[in-house]
Amino acid sequence: MKQTKKTGRNTPCPCGSGLKYKKCCLKKRSGQLDPAVLYQRKYSIRLKNKQDIDGIRRAGRLVLDTLEMVEEKLKPGITTNEINTWVHEFTIKNSAIPAPLNYSGFPKSCCVSINEVICHGIPGNRVIEDGDIVNVDVTSILKEYYADANKTFLAGDVAPDGVKIVNVTLQCLRRGIAAVKPGNTIGDIGWAIQSYAEGEGCSVVRKFVGHGVGFDFHEPPQIPHYGKPGTGIPLTAGMVFTIEPMINLGVKELTILDDNWTAVTRDRKLSAQFEQTLLVTDDGVESLTPF
Ligand code: MF3
Ligand code: CO
Ligand code: CO
């Protein structure tokens, strides 16, 4: 009996074109596919529908309210543990769950990263001093939807280098967001951020990246804050991901402290970060954590 070979990506196309299946009808077929199916198959990216987006937007509203509450109360003399308590209690009071708590063993409900700490600072007994720059990163789960955002605050009177790194980093986030629209790629976002940061004499952390978010804390794809224009996955409506540049005044390299979480700059110079959760819309971008 004749063995008919099963069609695979590299076998001749059944249409008889002489092309490999992947270069021929597989492509045509995928061109007709629902983008949600295509992005799932091709990139493991789960696009969000209207209901999902409403849910993430609500979680995002809570994250923003939490950051605003922290901003009002933050001042020199308080400990990072106190910030953690404010965030934890505010989140619970609003019927949500702080996503960091017990995430891969993380022991607290938010990250607080001061000065040379790039990210993942664990709240503890460190006291905020006059002149510190203080990043607070909040991720809330509300009715099973995740939103993730952070800001770097100025505590008291901050010296010009601190003001500079905070301003450059916020501008990096703004430029990254401006690169978000269907048809642009993930590399366009990275390039927008990297070219500006390096033009200002600052460096871009490579080790940590933005990420898909919404159904889970960290989903595909990764969103590097460096890259080349036109490279990487094309953006399409319904993608939800963070942009969260970590920008250093000195070198981009980092060291992880013995607690296995706290990332500090290798040269111990200042680092800042801002993060938002973004939705790709039909004609551009909507922030689900707008500030
Ligand atoms: N919120 C961080 C991010 O922007 C992740 C923190 S992981 C934790 O992706 F475990 F430290 F909370
Ligand atoms: Co994030
Ligand atoms: Co975050």
Side-chain angles (χ1 to χ4, degrees):
M1 193 166 133
K2 192 168 170 279
Q3 268 298 124
T4 43
K5 199 159 178 276
K6 198 168 167 276
T7 302
R9 292 174 53 78
N10 289 308
T11 62
C13 193
C15 80
S17 66
L19 291 168
K20 286 182 178 175
Y21 180 50
K22 71 177 177 195
K23 292 273 176 198
C24 189
C25 288
L26 179 63
K27 250 192 176 165
K28 290 180 201 149
R29 214 171 71 183
S30 56
Q32 289 159 4
L33 276 179
D34 178 347
V37 176
L38 180 62
Y39 270 63
Q40 170 68 255
R41 282 197 197 162
K42 211 170 167 185
Y43 308 118
S44 301
I45 292 172
R46 296 174 68 190
L47 298 185
K48 276 69 179 177
N49 65 27
K50 198 174 174 311
Q51 183 189 320
D52 301 329
I53 292 162
D54 284 341
I56 302 166
R57 198 187 282 106
R58 282 195 189 98
R61 184 68 254 166
L62 175 58
V63 169
L64 276 189
D65 291 346
T66 309
L67 288 170
E68 205 167 285
M69 175 276 296
V70 169
E71 183 166 17
E72 279 166 19
K73 296 165 65 134
L74 188 146
K75 57 176 192 291
I78 60 134
T79 66
T80 54
N81 241 337
E82 288 175 78
I83 298 174
N84 180 72
T85 303
W86 303 338
V87 169
H88 184 87
E89 288 179 352
F90 191 84
T91 305
I92 299 298
K93 196 178 73 196
N94 285 281
S95 317
I97 299 166
L101 187 58
N102 301 319
Y103 176 79
S104 295
F106 191 80
K108 296 285 180 168
S109 296
C110 63
C111 299
V112 181
S113 304
I114 302 176
N115 296 345
E116 75 287 352
V117 181
I118 295 170
C119 64
H120 301 167
I122 303 174
N125 296 328
R126 185 164 173 175
V127 177
I128 291 172
E129 316 262 8
D130 184 65
D132 282 349
I133 62 171
V134 184
N135 180 274
V136 180
D137 191 339
V138 173
T139 312
S140 299
I141 314 168
L142 183 64
K143 298 185 203 257
E144 311 214 322
Y145 288 110
Y146 291 70
D148 187 9
N150 72 51
K151 288 186 188 183
T152 302
F153 302 113
L154 305 178
D157 231 342
V158 174
D161 58 347
V163 174
K164 177 184 172 177
I165 195 64
V166 169
N167 285 341
V168 167
T169 307
L170 179 56
Q171 188 60 19
C172 282
L173 173 62
R174 302 249 179 267
R175 288 180 184 230
I177 293 172
V180 177
K181 61 177 177 197
N184 272 8
T185 67
I186 289 179
D188 290 324
I189 299 172
W191 170 247
I193 294 167
Q194 182 185 8
S195 57
Y196 175 74
E198 293 178 354
E200 293 294 317
C202 300
S203 67
V204 176
V205 171
R206 305 296 203 268
K207 186 77 194 289
F208 300 105
V209 295
H211 50 90
V213 68
F215 299 133
D216 208 341
F217 200 161
H218 297 108
E219 302 173 20
Q222 297 197 341
I223 310 288
H225 306 108
Y226 53 91
K228 295 192 176 23
T231 63
I233 298 171
L235 304 180
T236 197
M239 287 173 79
V240 175
F241 53 79
T242 71
I243 301 179
E244 48 181 297
M246 284 143 276
I247 307 297
N248 298 351
L249 216 41
V251 300
K252 62 182 182 304
E253 283 76 21
L254 58 80
T255 305
I256 306 287
L257 300 186
D258 286 340
D259 61 19
N260 285 321
W261 281 102
T262 311
V264 300
T265 55
R266 206 191 55 191
D267 58 12
R268 302 300 196 269
K269 292 189 180 169
L270 295 176
S271 181
Q273 184 179 24
F274 286 88
E275 173 177 33
Q276 292 188 30
T277 294
L278 289 322
L279 165 71
V280 183
T281 61
D282 287 324
D283 53 7
V285 62
E286 177 193 339
S287 179
L288 303 178
T289 54
F291 61 77

